[in-house]
Amino acid sequence: EAQVTQNPRYLITVTGKKLTVTCSQNMNHEYMSWYRQDPGLGLRQIYYSMNVEVTDKGDVPEGYKVSRKEKRNFPLILESPSPNQTSLYFCASSYYSNQPQHFGDGTRLSIL
Amino acid sequence: EDQVTQSPEALRLQEGESSSLNCSYTVSGLRGLFWYRQDPGKGPEFLFTLYSAGEEKEKERLKATLTKKESFLHITAPKPEDSATYLCASRPNYGGSQGNLIFGKGTKLSVKP
């Protein structure tokens, strides 16, 4: 089954404790992206990757890091999480950036 | 500044009552206008892509249209299962930066039986 898998689905952690949210797709897509979704603000793009080893900032990249060492994986790293990063996060992928994206089911992060 | 604005924020319809959702965009050279549906607790699900003014796409009770400044999602004779949040997104032409996608805040649709 074609899918985008995010882990964990839920996480409660504390300020400053490094965490990684994994994202994996099994569709051989070139393009992958991370979003956060907040009430009243909608979906905002954090980072995206056009291909392996190619990443670029979206609209809200501060406090996040990404890497794309393999085509299928695109982890989101919060090196020193803060409470304002409490949010619902989505990973998405598509063959190319102008194609419709497939979304994962989301990761709900709570940072205390 | 590139923006995508959706209206209304929320819409309540009776089953069978047709209506339209609006998505207006101000982006630097549009390279794709996308509509998604999002159910509670789920990721957005793709509905349509429109690339040029005048283009229309249809799927069951939904029809998406595009002009130079806005897109409409028309819902004909909706059913309760059409209840969801509908998201619009645009992909601007930034020249060297090809991967940005800008989402509107969505329209939450409720269809009562």
Side-chain angles (χ1 to χ4, degrees), chain B residues 13-53:
Chain B
L13 299 174
Q14 287 296 127
E15 184 172 3
E17 180 187 2
S18 301
S19 188
S20 296
L21 314 183
N22 177 264
C23 170
S24 64
Y25 60 92
T26 55
V27 297
S28 309
L30 185 70
R31 294 187 62 157
L33 188 293
F34 303 88
W35 281 99
Y36 289 86
R37 168 192 171 125
Q38 187 175 23
D39 293 299
K42 295 284 191 179
E45 178 184 340
F46 170 72
L47 292 172
F48 303 108
T49 307
L50 303 165
Y51 290 105
S52 56

Side-chain angles (χ1 to χ4, degrees), chain B:
Chain B
E1 181 185 350
D2 295 318
Q3 275 191 326
V4 175
T5 304
Q6 292 188 246
S7 61
E9 289 185 15
L11 181 62
R12 291 187 177 187
L13 299 174
Q14 287 296 127
E15 184 172 3
E17 180 187 2
S18 301
S19 188
S20 296
L21 314 183
N22 177 264
C23 170
S24 64
Y25 60 92
T26 55
V27 297
S28 309
L30 185 70
R31 294 187 62 157
L33 188 293
F34 303 88
W35 281 99
Y36 289 86
R37 168 192 171 125
Q38 187 175 23
D39 293 299
K42 295 284 191 179
E45 178 184 340
F46 170 72
L47 292 172
F48 303 108
T49 307
L50 303 165
Y51 290 105
S52 56
E55 192 174 357
E56 299 182 353
K57 296 264 179 83
E58 278 189 77
K59 180 181 178 181
E60 296 180 358
R61 294 177 293 281
L62 300 177
K63 179 180 176 180
T65 62
L66 182 67
T67 72
K68 288 187 178 178
K69 293 184 178 180
E70 56 192 350
S71 177
F72 292 94
L73 185 65
H74 306 278
I75 303 176
T76 302
K79 298 182 178 182
E81 52 262 42
D82 294 322
S83 297
T85 296
Y86 290 85
L87 302 172
C88 167
S90 72
R91 180 172 169 271
N93 181 6
Y94 283 152
S97 177
Q98 301 288 312
N100 290 88
L101 194 62
I102 302 170
F103 277 86
K105 295 179 183 179
T107 293
K108 185 174 182 179
L109 174 66
S110 299
V111 183
K112 301 298 182 186

Side-chain angles (χ1 to χ4, degrees), chain A residues 35-47:
Chain A
Y35 301 87
R36 61 178 289 174
Q37 188 172 38
D38 302 287
L41 297 177
L43 269 167
R44 294 178 293 168
Q45 194 172 34
I46 303 171
Y47 270 95

